[in-house]
Amino acid sequence: ACICTSALPEVRPRVLVADADPAVQRLLAQHLTSDGFSIDMCADGRAALDRIVARSFDLIVLDMMLDGLDGITLCRAIRHNATNRNAGVIVVGAASSESDKVLTLVSGADDYLAKPLSPAEFMARVSAIMRRCRSAQYGSPTRGRLERTDLTLDRSRRQVLVRGEQVQLSKQEFELLYDLASSPGIVFTRNDLLTRHWDHVDGRGLR
């Protein structure tokens, strides 16, 4: 049996950008979209919390001074919420004091950047955070439910849903798909995948 990859939805990492400044939203959306992210945006803390509770994200970008709920409060909420506990979090703010950075990191953020933002530095920080998140997730033996756009994978049940419809896969096919879906942007060689998911593999492939 084989997996027809053309029948599966495109897997794009999700990012939430919560910032009250439309110019900042446009700037970040432009660069994140060009780097392959699927973007969700909002302008206040309450709306951000609603999205954080309702949907899973790979990366969350928060303005420190959001109306309703500030970035620090949202950081703490993210780390106590099962849906996005392991998401990468970047806080951006007008202040650049050491105390602001320390408070942000202690509250659960992965990084803090002062405004005005440098797009090149921002994207470099995003890449570093995503590499760390992917590495931690890929090496974890207890990965469970994974949601990517229209694709849902439940490891405990070995269940695959595409747009709500169940797809039957073998154990090896499921594990292969799970590794690929949980590691967006990671390049695996054919032999890497064969060695990980099939027994009795040499350099030429299956025996």
Side-chain angles (χ1 to χ4, degrees), residues 3 5 8 11-12 134 137-138 143 146 148 151 153 172-190 192-193 196-198:
I3 301 173
T5 55
L8 295 175
V11 177
R12 301 179 66 195
R134 288 165 183 161
Q137 184 183 46
Y138 188 74
R143 290 170 296 171
L146 178 67
R148 292 287 186 272
L151 175 66
L153 302 174
Q172 289 170 323
E173 290 169 343
F174 179 88
E175 293 298 333
L176 175 62
L177 179 60
Y178 198 104
D179 276 352
L180 294 174
S182 63
S183 306
I186 302 296
V187 177
F188 299 98
T189 68
R190 177 175 179 272
D192 286 339
L193 296 174
R196 185 175 179 86
H197 297 288
W198 279 271

PDB file of all heavy atoms in Angstrom, residues 3 5 8 11-12 134 137-138 143 146 148 151 153 172-190 192-193 196-198:
ATOM      1  N   ILE A   3       0.827   5.819   0.152  1.00  0.00           N
ATOM      2  CA  ILE A   3       0.087   7.041   0.461  1.00  0.00           C
ATOM      3  C   ILE A   3       0.134   7.945  -0.753  1.00  0.00           C
ATOM      4  O   ILE A   3       1.220   8.259  -1.256  1.00  0.00           O
ATOM      5  CB  ILE A   3       0.691   7.770   1.664  1.00  0.00           C
ATOM      6  CG1 ILE A   3       0.682   6.867   2.890  1.00  0.00           C
ATOM      7  CG2 ILE A   3      -0.060   9.054   1.949  1.00  0.00           C
ATOM      8  CD1 ILE A   3       1.403   7.460   4.064  1.00  0.00           C
ATOM      9  N   THR A   5       0.216  11.286  -1.836  1.00  0.00           N
ATOM     10  CA  THR A   5       0.415  12.582  -1.181  1.00  0.00           C
ATOM     11  C   THR A   5      -0.375  13.691  -1.847  1.00  0.00           C
ATOM     12  O   THR A   5      -0.710  14.687  -1.210  1.00  0.00           O
ATOM     13  CB  THR A   5       1.908  12.959  -1.190  1.00  0.00           C
ATOM     14  OG1 THR A   5       2.392  12.919  -2.548  1.00  0.00           O
ATOM     15  CG2 THR A   5       2.701  11.972  -0.359  1.00  0.00           C
ATOM     16  N   LEU A   8      -3.603  14.516  -0.053  1.00  0.00           N
ATOM     17  CA  LEU A   8      -3.564  15.087   1.287  1.00  0.00           C
ATOM     18  C   LEU A   8      -3.501  16.603   1.212  1.00  0.00           C
ATOM     19  O   LEU A   8      -2.903  17.169   0.296  1.00  0.00           O
ATOM     20  CB  LEU A   8      -2.331  14.561   2.040  1.00  0.00           C
ATOM     21  CG  LEU A   8      -2.329  13.065   2.324  1.00  0.00           C
ATOM     22  CD1 LEU A   8      -1.001  12.674   2.965  1.00  0.00           C
ATOM     23  CD2 LEU A   8      -3.490  12.658   3.217  1.00  0.00           C
ATOM     24  N   VAL A  11       0.301  20.946   4.213  1.00  0.00           N
ATOM     25  CA  VAL A  11       0.569  21.173   5.627  1.00  0.00           C
ATOM     26  C   VAL A  11       1.401  22.451   5.757  1.00  0.00           C
ATOM     27  O   VAL A  11       2.545  22.499   5.314  1.00  0.00           O
ATOM     28  CB  VAL A  11       1.308  19.980   6.258  1.00  0.00           C
ATOM     29  CG1 VAL A  11       1.651  20.277   7.709  1.00  0.00           C
ATOM     30  CG2 VAL A  11       0.473  18.721   6.148  1.00  0.00           C
ATOM     31  N   ARG A  12       0.831  23.474   6.341  1.00  0.00           N
ATOM     32  CA  ARG A  12       1.535  24.738   6.525  1.00  0.00           C
ATOM     33  C   ARG A  12       1.522  25.069   8.015  1.00  0.00           C
ATOM     34  O   ARG A  12       0.473  24.974   8.668  1.00  0.00           O
ATOM     35  CB  ARG A  12       0.860  25.863   5.730  1.00  0.00           C
ATOM     36  CG  ARG A  12       0.772  25.619   4.242  1.00  0.00           C
ATOM     37  CD  ARG A  12       0.068  26.763   3.550  1.00  0.00           C
ATOM     38  NE  ARG A  12       0.833  27.987   3.621  1.00  0.00           N
ATOM     39  CZ  ARG A  12       0.326  29.204   3.354  1.00  0.00           C
ATOM     40  NH1 ARG A  12      -0.953  29.343   3.069  1.00  0.00           N
ATOM     41  NH2 ARG A  12       1.094  30.274   3.420  1.00  0.00           N
ATOM     42  N   ARG A 134      10.461  21.982  16.582  1.00  0.00           N
ATOM     43  CA  ARG A 134      10.386  20.771  15.763  1.00  0.00           C
ATOM     44  C   ARG A 134      11.286  19.692  16.309  1.00  0.00           C
ATOM     45  O   ARG A 134      10.929  18.515  16.340  1.00  0.00           O
ATOM     46  CB  ARG A 134      10.770  21.096  14.324  1.00  0.00           C
ATOM     47  CG  ARG A 134       9.728  21.917  13.571  1.00  0.00           C
ATOM     48  CD  ARG A 134      10.312  22.504  12.318  1.00  0.00           C
ATOM     49  NE  ARG A 134       9.355  23.351  11.614  1.00  0.00           N
ATOM     50  CZ  ARG A 134       9.685  24.255  10.708  1.00  0.00           C
ATOM     51  NH1 ARG A 134      10.965  24.430  10.393  1.00  0.00           N
ATOM     52  NH2 ARG A 134       8.764  24.969  10.110  1.00  0.00           N
ATOM     53  N   GLN A 137       9.682  18.210  19.401  1.00  0.00           N
ATOM     54  CA  GLN A 137       8.514  17.407  19.066  1.00  0.00           C
ATOM     55  C   GLN A 137       8.914  16.123  18.374  1.00  0.00           C
ATOM     56  O   GLN A 137       8.403  15.048  18.652  1.00  0.00           O
ATOM     57  CB  GLN A 137       7.567  18.201  18.158  1.00  0.00           C
ATOM     58  CG  GLN A 137       6.274  17.466  17.828  1.00  0.00           C
ATOM     59  CD  GLN A 137       5.406  18.244  16.880  1.00  0.00           C
ATOM     60  OE1 GLN A 137       5.878  18.768  15.878  1.00  0.00           O
ATOM     61  NE2 GLN A 137       4.122  18.324  17.196  1.00  0.00           N
ATOM     62  N   TYR A 138       9.873  16.193  17.456  1.00  0.00           N
ATOM     63  CA  TYR A 138      10.270  15.014  16.691  1.00  0.00           C
ATOM     64  C   TYR A 138      10.932  13.975  17.576  1.00  0.00           C
ATOM     65  O   TYR A 138      10.789  12.776  17.371  1.00  0.00           O
ATOM     66  CB  TYR A 138      11.235  15.421  15.574  1.00  0.00           C
ATOM     67  CG  TYR A 138      11.540  14.292  14.628  1.00  0.00           C
ATOM     68  CD1 TYR A 138      10.595  13.869  13.697  1.00  0.00           C
ATOM     69  CD2 TYR A 138      12.762  13.634  14.673  1.00  0.00           C
ATOM     70  CE1 TYR A 138      10.861  12.832  12.819  1.00  0.00           C
ATOM     71  CE2 TYR A 138      13.037  12.586  13.799  1.00  0.00           C
ATOM     72  CZ  TYR A 138      12.084  12.203  12.879  1.00  0.00           C
ATOM     73  OH  TYR A 138      12.353  11.169  12.031  1.00  0.00           O
ATOM     74  N   ARG A 143       4.251  11.772  21.648  1.00  0.00           N
ATOM     75  CA  ARG A 143       3.415  12.632  20.821  1.00  0.00           C
ATOM     76  C   ARG A 143       2.021  12.038  20.688  1.00  0.00           C
ATOM     77  O   ARG A 143       1.851  10.844  20.555  1.00  0.00           O
ATOM     78  CB  ARG A 143       4.034  12.800  19.429  1.00  0.00           C
ATOM     79  CG  ARG A 143       5.308  13.632  19.426  1.00  0.00           C
ATOM     80  CD  ARG A 143       5.988  13.562  18.087  1.00  0.00           C
ATOM     81  NE  ARG A 143       6.426  12.198  17.799  1.00  0.00           N
ATOM     82  CZ  ARG A 143       6.887  11.825  16.619  1.00  0.00           C
ATOM     83  NH1 ARG A 143       6.930  12.685  15.630  1.00  0.00           N
ATOM     84  NH2 ARG A 143       7.293  10.579  16.425  1.00  0.00           N
ATOM     85  N   LEU A 146      -2.341  15.479  16.621  1.00  0.00           N
ATOM     86  CA  LEU A 146      -1.707  16.484  15.780  1.00  0.00           C
ATOM     87  C   LEU A 146      -2.735  17.010  14.801  1.00  0.00           C
ATOM     88  O   LEU A 146      -3.411  16.230  14.122  1.00  0.00           O
ATOM     89  CB  LEU A 146      -0.523  15.876  15.031  1.00  0.00           C
ATOM     90  CG  LEU A 146       0.235  16.781  14.061  1.00  0.00           C
ATOM     91  CD1 LEU A 146       0.958  17.882  14.827  1.00  0.00           C
ATOM     92  CD2 LEU A 146       1.229  15.962  13.249  1.00  0.00           C
ATOM     93  N   ARG A 148      -3.279  19.733  11.577  1.00  0.00           N
ATOM     94  CA  ARG A 148      -2.662  20.580  10.569  1.00  0.00           C
ATOM     95  C   ARG A 148      -3.704  20.896   9.506  1.00  0.00           C
ATOM     96  O   ARG A 148      -4.039  20.047   8.690  1.00  0.00           O
ATOM     97  CB  ARG A 148      -1.450  19.896   9.930  1.00  0.00           C
ATOM     98  CG  ARG A 148      -0.266  19.708  10.861  1.00  0.00           C
ATOM     99  CD  ARG A 148       0.424  21.053  11.129  1.00  0.00           C
ATOM    100  NE  ARG A 148       1.643  20.883  11.903  1.00  0.00           N
ATOM    101  CZ  ARG A 148       1.687  20.868  13.216  1.00  0.00           C
ATOM    102  NH1 ARG A 148       0.566  21.021  13.905  1.00  0.00           N
ATOM    103  NH2 ARG A 148       2.837  20.712  13.845  1.00  0.00           N
ATOM    104  N   LEU A 151      -6.016  18.252   8.166  1.00  0.00           N
ATOM    105  CA  LEU A 151      -5.499  16.933   8.523  1.00  0.00           C
ATOM    106  C   LEU A 151      -5.411  16.787  10.038  1.00  0.00           C
ATOM    107  O   LEU A 151      -4.851  17.635  10.720  1.00  0.00           O
ATOM    108  CB  LEU A 151      -4.107  16.748   7.914  1.00  0.00           C
ATOM    109  CG  LEU A 151      -3.342  15.469   8.276  1.00  0.00           C
ATOM    110  CD1 LEU A 151      -4.044  14.250   7.705  1.00  0.00           C
ATOM    111  CD2 LEU A 151      -1.901  15.562   7.773  1.00  0.00           C
ATOM    112  N   LEU A 153      -4.326  13.858  13.021  1.00  0.00           N
ATOM    113  CA  LEU A 153      -3.725  12.566  13.317  1.00  0.00           C
ATOM    114  C   LEU A 153      -3.808  12.322  14.819  1.00  0.00           C
ATOM    115  O   LEU A 153      -3.384  13.165  15.602  1.00  0.00           O
ATOM    116  CB  LEU A 153      -2.254  12.531  12.874  1.00  0.00           C
ATOM    117  CG  LEU A 153      -1.972  12.808  11.395  1.00  0.00           C
ATOM    118  CD1 LEU A 153      -0.472  12.895  11.152  1.00  0.00           C
ATOM    119  CD2 LEU A 153      -2.585  11.753  10.521  1.00  0.00           C
ATOM    120  N   GLN A 172       2.808   1.378   9.590  1.00  0.00           N
ATOM    121  CA  GLN A 172       3.996   2.036   9.055  1.00  0.00           C
ATOM    122  C   GLN A 172       3.634   3.303   8.295  1.00  0.00           C
ATOM    123  O   GLN A 172       4.313   4.330   8.391  1.00  0.00           O
ATOM    124  CB  GLN A 172       4.765   1.071   8.150  1.00  0.00           C
ATOM    125  CG  GLN A 172       5.450  -0.054   8.914  1.00  0.00           C
ATOM    126  CD  GLN A 172       5.992  -1.122   7.997  1.00  0.00           C
ATOM    127  OE1 GLN A 172       5.379  -1.443   6.982  1.00  0.00           O
ATOM    128  NE2 GLN A 172       7.135  -1.670   8.349  1.00  0.00           N
ATOM    129  N   GLU A 173       2.546   3.240   7.525  1.00  0.00           N
ATOM    130  CA  GLU A 173       2.101   4.415   6.781  1.00  0.00           C
ATOM    131  C   GLU A 173       1.708   5.542   7.740  1.00  0.00           C
ATOM    132  O   GLU A 173       2.021   6.711   7.510  1.00  0.00           O
ATOM    133  CB  GLU A 173       0.927   4.051   5.883  1.00  0.00           C
ATOM    134  CG  GLU A 173       1.315   3.168   4.713  1.00  0.00           C
ATOM    135  CD  GLU A 173       0.109   2.606   3.985  1.00  0.00           C
ATOM    136  OE1 GLU A 173      -1.008   2.624   4.551  1.00  0.00           O
ATOM    137  OE2 GLU A 173       0.293   2.140   2.852  1.00  0.00           O
ATOM    138  N   PHE A 174       1.013   5.174   8.831  1.00  0.00           N
ATOM    139  CA  PHE A 174       0.610   6.186   9.809  1.00  0.00           C
ATOM    140  C   PHE A 174       1.834   6.853  10.432  1.00  0.00           C
ATOM    141  O   PHE A 174       1.904   8.086  10.535  1.00  0.00           O
ATOM    142  CB  PHE A 174      -0.247   5.558  10.908  1.00  0.00           C
ATOM    143  CG  PHE A 174      -0.662   6.556  11.965  1.00  0.00           C
ATOM    144  CD1 PHE A 174      -1.826   7.296  11.818  1.00  0.00           C
ATOM    145  CD2 PHE A 174       0.119   6.768  13.093  1.00  0.00           C
ATOM    146  CE1 PHE A 174      -2.200   8.229  12.775  1.00  0.00           C
ATOM    147  CE2 PHE A 174      -0.244   7.697  14.058  1.00  0.00           C
ATOM    148  CZ  PHE A 174      -1.414   8.426  13.888  1.00  0.00           C
ATOM    149  N   GLU A 175       2.817   6.057  10.881  1.00  0.00           N
ATOM    150  CA  GLU A 175       4.003   6.617  11.529  1.00  0.00           C
ATOM    151  C   GLU A 175       4.791   7.492  10.558  1.00  0.00           C
ATOM    152  O   GLU A 175       5.332   8.534  10.939  1.00  0.00           O
ATOM    153  CB  GLU A 175       4.882   5.494  12.071  1.00  0.00           C
ATOM    154  CG  GLU A 175       4.262   4.707  13.218  1.00  0.00           C
ATOM    155  CD  GLU A 175       3.997   5.569  14.446  1.00  0.00           C
ATOM    156  OE1 GLU A 175       4.693   6.582  14.636  1.00  0.00           O
ATOM    157  OE2 GLU A 175       3.093   5.232  15.221  1.00  0.00           O
ATOM    158  N   LEU A 176       4.856   7.080   9.301  1.00  0.00           N
ATOM    159  CA  LEU A 176       5.551   7.880   8.294  1.00  0.00           C
ATOM    160  C   LEU A 176       4.854   9.220   8.100  1.00  0.00           C
ATOM    161  O   LEU A 176       5.488  10.284   8.115  1.00  0.00           O
ATOM    162  CB  LEU A 176       5.594   7.104   6.977  1.00  0.00           C
ATOM    163  CG  LEU A 176       6.173   7.836   5.759  1.00  0.00           C
ATOM    164  CD1 LEU A 176       7.634   8.207   6.012  1.00  0.00           C
ATOM    165  CD2 LEU A 176       6.053   6.970   4.511  1.00  0.00           C
ATOM    166  N   LEU A 177       3.528   9.188   7.950  1.00  0.00           N
ATOM    167  CA  LEU A 177       2.769  10.421   7.774  1.00  0.00           C
ATOM    168  C   LEU A 177       2.878  11.314   9.001  1.00  0.00           C
ATOM    169  O   LEU A 177       3.020  12.536   8.892  1.00  0.00           O
ATOM    170  CB  LEU A 177       1.302  10.089   7.492  1.00  0.00           C
ATOM    171  CG  LEU A 177       0.355  11.290   7.317  1.00  0.00           C
ATOM    172  CD1 LEU A 177       0.794  12.158   6.143  1.00  0.00           C
ATOM    173  CD2 LEU A 177      -1.085  10.806   7.120  1.00  0.00           C
ATOM    174  N   TYR A 178       2.836  10.714  10.203  1.00  0.00           N
ATOM    175  CA  TYR A 178       2.918  11.492  11.440  1.00  0.00           C
ATOM    176  C   TYR A 178       4.253  12.229  11.522  1.00  0.00           C
ATOM    177  O   TYR A 178       4.303  13.414  11.870  1.00  0.00           O
ATOM    178  CB  TYR A 178       2.738  10.577  12.648  1.00  0.00           C
ATOM    179  CG  TYR A 178       2.374  11.322  13.911  1.00  0.00           C
ATOM    180  CD1 TYR A 178       1.075  11.299  14.396  1.00  0.00           C
ATOM    181  CD2 TYR A 178       3.329  12.061  14.606  1.00  0.00           C
ATOM    182  CE1 TYR A 178       0.733  11.982  15.547  1.00  0.00           C
ATOM    183  CE2 TYR A 178       2.990  12.755  15.754  1.00  0.00           C
ATOM    184  CZ  TYR A 178       1.693  12.712  16.222  1.00  0.00           C
ATOM    185  OH  TYR A 178       1.361  13.408  17.344  1.00  0.00           O
ATOM    186  N   ASP A 179       5.343  11.539  11.204  1.00  0.00           N
ATOM    187  CA  ASP A 179       6.655  12.177  11.255  1.00  0.00           C
ATOM    188  C   ASP A 179       6.744  13.338  10.270  1.00  0.00           C
ATOM    189  O   ASP A 179       7.278  14.408  10.585  1.00  0.00           O
ATOM    190  CB  ASP A 179       7.756  11.165  10.959  1.00  0.00           C
ATOM    191  CG  ASP A 179       8.157  10.373  12.191  1.00  0.00           C
ATOM    192  OD1 ASP A 179       7.693  10.720  13.293  1.00  0.00           O
ATOM    193  OD2 ASP A 179       8.927   9.415  12.060  1.00  0.00           O
ATOM    194  N   LEU A 180       6.226  13.147   9.062  1.00  0.00           N
ATOM    195  CA  LEU A 180       6.281  14.214   8.060  1.00  0.00           C
ATOM    196  C   LEU A 180       5.401  15.393   8.470  1.00  0.00           C
ATOM    197  O   LEU A 180       5.816  16.552   8.365  1.00  0.00           O
ATOM    198  CB  LEU A 180       5.834  13.665   6.705  1.00  0.00           C
ATOM    199  CG  LEU A 180       6.740  12.616   6.069  1.00  0.00           C
ATOM    200  CD1 LEU A 180       6.094  12.051   4.806  1.00  0.00           C
ATOM    201  CD2 LEU A 180       8.117  13.189   5.749  1.00  0.00           C
ATOM    202  N   ALA A 181       4.185  15.111   8.947  1.00  0.00           N
ATOM    203  CA  ALA A 181       3.258  16.187   9.320  1.00  0.00           C
ATOM    204  C   ALA A 181       3.716  16.940  10.557  1.00  0.00           C
ATOM    205  O   ALA A 181       3.442  18.130  10.710  1.00  0.00           O
ATOM    206  CB  ALA A 181       1.860  15.613   9.543  1.00  0.00           C
ATOM    207  N   SER A 182       4.424  16.274  11.469  1.00  0.00           N
ATOM    208  CA  SER A 182       4.862  16.923  12.709  1.00  0.00           C
ATOM    209  C   SER A 182       6.194  17.637  12.552  1.00  0.00           C
ATOM    210  O   SER A 182       6.670  18.270  13.485  1.00  0.00           O
ATOM    211  CB  SER A 182       4.974  15.893  13.839  1.00  0.00           C
ATOM    212  OG  SER A 182       5.959  14.927  13.533  1.00  0.00           O
ATOM    213  N   SER A 183       6.778  17.567  11.360  1.00  0.00           N
ATOM    214  CA  SER A 183       8.094  18.189  11.148  1.00  0.00           C
ATOM    215  C   SER A 183       8.104  19.048   9.892  1.00  0.00           C
ATOM    216  O   SER A 183       8.903  18.819   8.978  1.00  0.00           O
ATOM    217  CB  SER A 183       9.175  17.104  11.053  1.00  0.00           C
ATOM    218  OG  SER A 183       9.141  16.250  12.154  1.00  0.00           O
ATOM    219  N   PRO A 184       7.204  20.048   9.776  1.00  0.00           N
ATOM    220  CA  PRO A 184       7.184  20.883   8.580  1.00  0.00           C
ATOM    221  C   PRO A 184       8.512  21.615   8.416  1.00  0.00           C
ATOM    222  O   PRO A 184       9.078  22.140   9.367  1.00  0.00           O
ATOM    223  CB  PRO A 184       6.038  21.873   8.853  1.00  0.00           C
ATOM    224  CG  PRO A 184       5.876  21.872  10.332  1.00  0.00           C
ATOM    225  CD  PRO A 184       6.222  20.487  10.785  1.00  0.00           C
ATOM    226  N   GLY A 185       9.041  21.587   7.194  1.00  0.00           N
ATOM    227  CA  GLY A 185      10.315  22.252   6.918  1.00  0.00           C
ATOM    228  C   GLY A 185      11.521  21.370   7.104  1.00  0.00           C
ATOM    229  O   GLY A 185      12.621  21.736   6.687  1.00  0.00           O
ATOM    230  N   ILE A 186      11.363  20.187   7.720  1.00  0.00           N
ATOM    231  CA  ILE A 186      12.466  19.259   7.907  1.00  0.00           C
ATOM    232  C   ILE A 186      12.576  18.364   6.677  1.00  0.00           C
ATOM    233  O   ILE A 186      11.580  17.803   6.217  1.00  0.00           O
ATOM    234  CB  ILE A 186      12.268  18.380   9.160  1.00  0.00           C
ATOM    235  CG1 ILE A 186      12.132  19.265  10.401  1.00  0.00           C
ATOM    236  CG2 ILE A 186      13.411  17.396   9.330  1.00  0.00           C
ATOM    237  CD1 ILE A 186      13.356  20.064  10.724  1.00  0.00           C
ATOM    238  N   VAL A 187      13.781  18.236   6.139  1.00  0.00           N
ATOM    239  CA  VAL A 187      14.007  17.403   4.954  1.00  0.00           C
ATOM    240  C   VAL A 187      14.551  16.051   5.401  1.00  0.00           C
ATOM    241  O   VAL A 187      15.580  15.973   6.071  1.00  0.00           O
ATOM    242  CB  VAL A 187      14.993  18.077   3.987  1.00  0.00           C
ATOM    243  CG1 VAL A 187      15.265  17.161   2.800  1.00  0.00           C
ATOM    244  CG2 VAL A 187      14.437  19.411   3.513  1.00  0.00           C
ATOM    245  N   PHE A 188      13.848  14.971   5.033  1.00  0.00           N
ATOM    246  CA  PHE A 188      14.292  13.617   5.321  1.00  0.00           C
ATOM    247  C   PHE A 188      14.733  12.948   4.025  1.00  0.00           C
ATOM    248  O   PHE A 188      14.068  13.091   2.996  1.00  0.00           O
ATOM    249  CB  PHE A 188      13.152  12.779   5.927  1.00  0.00           C
ATOM    250  CG  PHE A 188      12.620  13.291   7.225  1.00  0.00           C
ATOM    251  CD1 PHE A 188      11.476  14.069   7.273  1.00  0.00           C
ATOM    252  CD2 PHE A 188      13.261  12.994   8.420  1.00  0.00           C
ATOM    253  CE1 PHE A 188      10.972  14.535   8.469  1.00  0.00           C
ATOM    254  CE2 PHE A 188      12.767  13.459   9.625  1.00  0.00           C
ATOM    255  CZ  PHE A 188      11.626  14.230   9.652  1.00  0.00           C
ATOM    256  N   THR A 189      15.823  12.207   4.070  1.00  0.00           N
ATOM    257  CA  THR A 189      16.206  11.417   2.912  1.00  0.00           C
ATOM    258  C   THR A 189      15.359  10.150   2.873  1.00  0.00           C
ATOM    259  O   THR A 189      14.772   9.736   3.875  1.00  0.00           O
ATOM    260  CB  THR A 189      17.685  11.026   2.959  1.00  0.00           C
ATOM    261  OG1 THR A 189      17.899  10.100   4.042  1.00  0.00           O
ATOM    262  CG2 THR A 189      18.578  12.241   3.155  1.00  0.00           C
ATOM    263  N   ARG A 190      15.327   9.504   1.716  1.00  0.00           N
ATOM    264  CA  ARG A 190      14.573   8.268   1.570  1.00  0.00           C
ATOM    265  C   ARG A 190      15.082   7.220   2.555  1.00  0.00           C
ATOM    266  O   ARG A 190      14.292   6.526   3.212  1.00  0.00           O
ATOM    267  CB  ARG A 190      14.697   7.753   0.138  1.00  0.00           C
ATOM    268  CG  ARG A 190      14.002   6.428  -0.129  1.00  0.00           C
ATOM    269  CD  ARG A 190      14.078   6.084  -1.614  1.00  0.00           C
ATOM    270  NE  ARG A 190      13.444   4.816  -1.910  1.00  0.00           N
ATOM    271  CZ  ARG A 190      14.054   3.639  -1.854  1.00  0.00           C
ATOM    272  NH1 ARG A 190      15.341   3.577  -1.490  1.00  0.00           N
ATOM    273  NH2 ARG A 190      13.418   2.520  -2.153  1.00  0.00           N
ATOM    274  N   ASP A 192      16.613   7.721   5.409  1.00  0.00           N
ATOM    275  CA  ASP A 192      16.223   8.097   6.778  1.00  0.00           C
ATOM    276  C   ASP A 192      14.867   7.500   7.118  1.00  0.00           C
ATOM    277  O   ASP A 192      14.665   6.908   8.192  1.00  0.00           O
ATOM    278  CB  ASP A 192      16.144   9.621   6.922  1.00  0.00           C
ATOM    279  CG  ASP A 192      17.502  10.287   6.958  1.00  0.00           C
ATOM    280  OD1 ASP A 192      18.489   9.601   7.265  1.00  0.00           O
ATOM    281  OD2 ASP A 192      17.565  11.495   6.664  1.00  0.00           O
ATOM    282  N   LEU A 193      13.909   7.672   6.212  1.00  0.00           N
ATOM    283  CA  LEU A 193      12.553   7.198   6.460  1.00  0.00           C
ATOM    284  C   LEU A 193      12.469   5.677   6.425  1.00  0.00           C
ATOM    285  O   LEU A 193      11.762   5.072   7.235  1.00  0.00           O
ATOM    286  CB  LEU A 193      11.605   7.812   5.426  1.00  0.00           C
ATOM    287  CG  LEU A 193      11.481   9.343   5.498  1.00  0.00           C
ATOM    288  CD1 LEU A 193      10.648   9.856   4.337  1.00  0.00           C
ATOM    289  CD2 LEU A 193      10.874   9.786   6.826  1.00  0.00           C
ATOM    290  N   ARG A 196      13.897   4.309   9.638  1.00  0.00           N
ATOM    291  CA  ARG A 196      13.069   4.586  10.819  1.00  0.00           C
ATOM    292  C   ARG A 196      11.794   3.759  10.839  1.00  0.00           C
ATOM    293  O   ARG A 196      11.329   3.357  11.910  1.00  0.00           O
ATOM    294  CB  ARG A 196      12.717   6.083  10.837  1.00  0.00           C
ATOM    295  CG  ARG A 196      11.963   6.522  12.086  1.00  0.00           C
ATOM    296  CD  ARG A 196      11.775   8.031  12.086  1.00  0.00           C
ATOM    297  NE  ARG A 196      11.044   8.457  13.261  1.00  0.00           N
ATOM    298  CZ  ARG A 196      11.589   8.717  14.447  1.00  0.00           C
ATOM    299  NH1 ARG A 196      12.880   8.585  14.609  1.00  0.00           N
ATOM    300  NH2 ARG A 196      10.849   9.112  15.472  1.00  0.00           N
ATOM    301  N   HIS A 197      11.237   3.452   9.670  1.00  0.00           N
ATOM    302  CA  HIS A 197       9.899   2.867   9.629  1.00  0.00           C
ATOM    303  C   HIS A 197       9.815   1.455   9.055  1.00  0.00           C
ATOM    304  O   HIS A 197       8.756   0.847   9.095  1.00  0.00           O
ATOM    305  CB  HIS A 197       8.960   3.783   8.838  1.00  0.00           C
ATOM    306  CG  HIS A 197       8.788   5.121   9.475  1.00  0.00           C
ATOM    307  ND1 HIS A 197       8.067   5.298  10.634  1.00  0.00           N
ATOM    308  CD2 HIS A 197       9.272   6.344   9.149  1.00  0.00           C
ATOM    309  CE1 HIS A 197       8.097   6.582  10.972  1.00  0.00           C
ATOM    310  NE2 HIS A 197       8.822   7.225  10.098  1.00  0.00           N
ATOM    311  N   TRP A 198      10.893   0.934   8.530  1.00  0.00           N
ATOM    312  CA  TRP A 198      10.860  -0.428   8.012  1.00  0.00           C
ATOM    313  C   TRP A 198      12.074  -1.206   8.517  1.00  0.00           C
ATOM    314  O   TRP A 198      13.173  -0.651   8.627  1.00  0.00           O
ATOM    315  CB  TRP A 198      10.856  -0.443   6.484  1.00  0.00           C
ATOM    316  CG  TRP A 198       9.518  -0.210   5.881  1.00  0.00           C
ATOM    317  CD1 TRP A 198       8.569  -1.116   5.570  1.00  0.00           C
ATOM    318  CD2 TRP A 198       8.958   1.069   5.511  1.00  0.00           C
ATOM    319  NE1 TRP A 198       7.462  -0.508   5.031  1.00  0.00           N
ATOM    320  CE2 TRP A 198       7.668   0.835   4.980  1.00  0.00           C
ATOM    321  CE3 TRP A 198       9.425   2.397   5.576  1.00  0.00           C
ATOM    322  CZ2 TRP A 198       6.849   1.841   4.530  1.00  0.00           C
ATOM    323  CZ3 TRP A 198       8.615   3.401   5.123  1.00  0.00           C
ATOM    324  CH2 TRP A 198       7.335   3.128   4.609  1.00  0.00           C
TER     325      TRP A 198
END
